[in-house]
Amino acid sequence: GFIGMLPERMYRQMELALDAGIRAFDAALIYGSHRGMSHVLGEWWRTGRLQSRFDVWISSKVFHPRSKPCLKRLQIPNLSDLAPEQTTQVVEDHFEQTLIELNVAYVDLMLLHWPGESDEAVGRPLDPQLARQRRIAAWKVLEDMYRRGWCRAIGVSNFGKQHLEQLQEDGATIVPMVNQIEASVQLQQVETREYCQQHDIVVQAYSTLLGLTKESKRVLSDIGTKYNKDYGQVTFRYLYQHGYCVVHLTNSQKRMQSNMDIFDFELTDKEMEILDQLNSDDGGWLPKPCDIQ
């Protein structure tokens, strides 16, 4: 009943991750992961394995289009049905719900999960001006929560260059600090990445290994042989050298540890060029930001 994950897996994933030395965690209201995360972190604080709130970095996300499957109790509305003032109320409510579910006084990073919905997803043409009004209304809530101290940083997710530019045109007073986007050797998001880097926006990659073709894995593995690294580690190193920080999801503690083992080698310019050639317009699996008004 949840998108992309089972909440009950969170308990063991969190325990394994903490044991592996991981201290930064990515969540979202729609994932249904907050309560499991809260429980495990609470136990680590209670038993002294974590000393303070400052020992961990918690990111979460609000402003996600309603998707199927999605439990009704999450009260995720169709974004395209909201007036701007309704958007403000929904994002405020979901921000507060996030803090309550995590049982913390603040999150380290809160993101707008999506810039909106696509015409294809809702089955009708959407008003681009209304979409912009909803987006800036949602962003203004994050700015307000940041000023209150309810989050230490604010950003966006799945935003393209045009969405970031529109936020500034429409009255944002704080530039997003992070843009979390789908990125891999097959979906390199060059325009968005370069725009973010030019404007001091941290660009964060997710779904970095999902959907890699056999040919991509072969090229990555061939390069990895030189460094005694697997194709996943070469992927992470490639993205890191292009300026990404990487979010990864796994149930394996061995993989959690190996995913972090990318700082003892460096890809050559030639190897980077070879991997650059794997880029493809259809290399991802989620809606493209350019298709969202």
Side-chain angles (χ1 to χ4, degrees):
F2 290 87
I3 296 174
M5 66 168 295
L6 296 174
E8 56 268 29
R9 289 182 179 175
M10 177 58 60
Y11 297 95
R12 180 159 176 76
Q13 285 175 328
M14 285 290 297
E15 194 76 33
L16 292 174
L18 287 163
D19 280 337
I22 294 172
R23 295 295 183 267
F25 301 98
D26 181 72
L29 182 66
I30 202 166
Y31 297 164
S33 54
H34 289 153
R35 289 188 173 88
M37 182 180 292
S38 172
H39 175 82
V40 176
L41 288 175
E43 280 298 295
W44 275 62
W45 280 316
R46 183 185 68 83
T47 58
R49 287 175 287 176
L50 289 173
Q51 295 299 311
S52 78
R53 172 67 179 84
F54 299 110
D55 291 339
V56 293
W57 178 277
I58 302 173
S59 303
S60 194
K61 299 179 280 290
V62 293
F63 200 60
H64 193 291
R66 183 163 182 81
S67 304
K68 295 180 180 179
C70 182
L71 296 181
K72 291 181 179 179
R73 72 167 179 82
L74 290 177
Q75 297 182 325
I76 305 294
N78 293 316
L79 300 182
S80 56
D81 292 338
L82 298 177
E85 59 272 15
Q86 292 174 308
T87 299
T88 297
Q89 188 61 57
V90 166
V91 176
E92 286 178 349
D93 291 347
H94 285 178
F95 198 115
E96 292 185 12
Q97 183 179 345
T98 295
L99 294 180
I100 291 169
E101 290 182 359
L102 286 169
N103 198 24
V104 293
Y106 67 90
V107 291
D108 297 279
L109 172 64
M110 181 63 85
L111 307 176
L112 296 184
H113 207 149
W114 282 90
E117 296 174 296
S118 66
D119 293 357
E120 181 180 358
V122 299
R124 68 179 191 276
L126 296 173
D127 182 342
Q129 286 304 119
L130 190 54
R132 289 180 67 158
Q133 291 169 18
R134 280 192 290 267
R135 195 154 47 240
I136 190 62
W139 181 250
K140 287 293 185 182
V141 174
L142 265 58
E143 290 185 335
D144 180 51
M145 298 301 182
Y146 175 73
R147 293 187 181 99
R148 292 189 199 182
W150 290 9
C151 51
R152 297 175 66 190
I154 54 176
V156 296
S157 179
N158 302 301
F159 274 48
K161 175 185 174 182
Q162 74 277 19
H163 303 123
L164 294 166
E165 290 176 332
Q166 288 169 6
L167 278 184
Q168 300 310 304
E169 293 167 4
D170 295 338
T173 58
I174 300 174
V175 176
M177 302 166 189
V178 175
N179 187 15
Q180 185 184 106
I181 57 176
E182 181 185 4
S184 69
V185 294
Q186 294 178 182
L187 184 70
Q188 294 172 20
Q189 304 267 32
V190 177
E191 181 184 59
T192 301
R193 182 189 78 217
E194 290 181 347
Y195 178 88
C196 289
Q197 291 169 341
Q198 290 164 7
H199 292 81
D200 295 324
I201 300 170
V202 174
V203 61
Q204 195 171 55
Y206 71 86
S207 291
T208 54
L209 304 178
L210 190 64
L212 291 182
T213 64
K214 289 182 179 180
E215 176 61 16
S216 293
K217 290 179 181 179
R218 183 193 66 77
V219 174
L220 288 160
S221 297
D222 286 349
I223 292 173
T225 300
K226 172 183 173 182
Y227 303 103
N228 194 29
K229 301 294 181 180
D230 60 37
Y231 74 85
Q233 291 169 308
V234 175
T235 297
F236 292 155
R237 182 68 205 190
Y238 169 79
L239 293 168
Y240 173 76
Q241 286 184 216
H242 266 314
Y244 284 99
C245 64
V246 179
V247 174
H248 56 85
L249 173 66
T250 178
N251 294 312
S252 163
Q253 190 174 55
K254 181 179 179 181
R255 174 60 70 183
M256 292 175 187
Q257 293 168 331
S258 68
N259 285 347
M260 296 185 288
D261 187 20
I262 65 166
F263 300 108
D264 59 352
F265 74 106
E266 183 173 354
L267 300 174
T268 66
D269 290 344
K270 180 61 176 177
E271 289 164 343
M272 292 292 287
E273 290 173 8
I274 290 171
L275 295 177
D276 285 342
Q277 297 305 310
L278 298 176
N279 192 26
S280 171
D281 289 339
D282 59 355
W285 67 284
L286 287 168
K288 295 180 175 62
C290 62
D291 293 332
I292 298 174
Q293 296 283 359

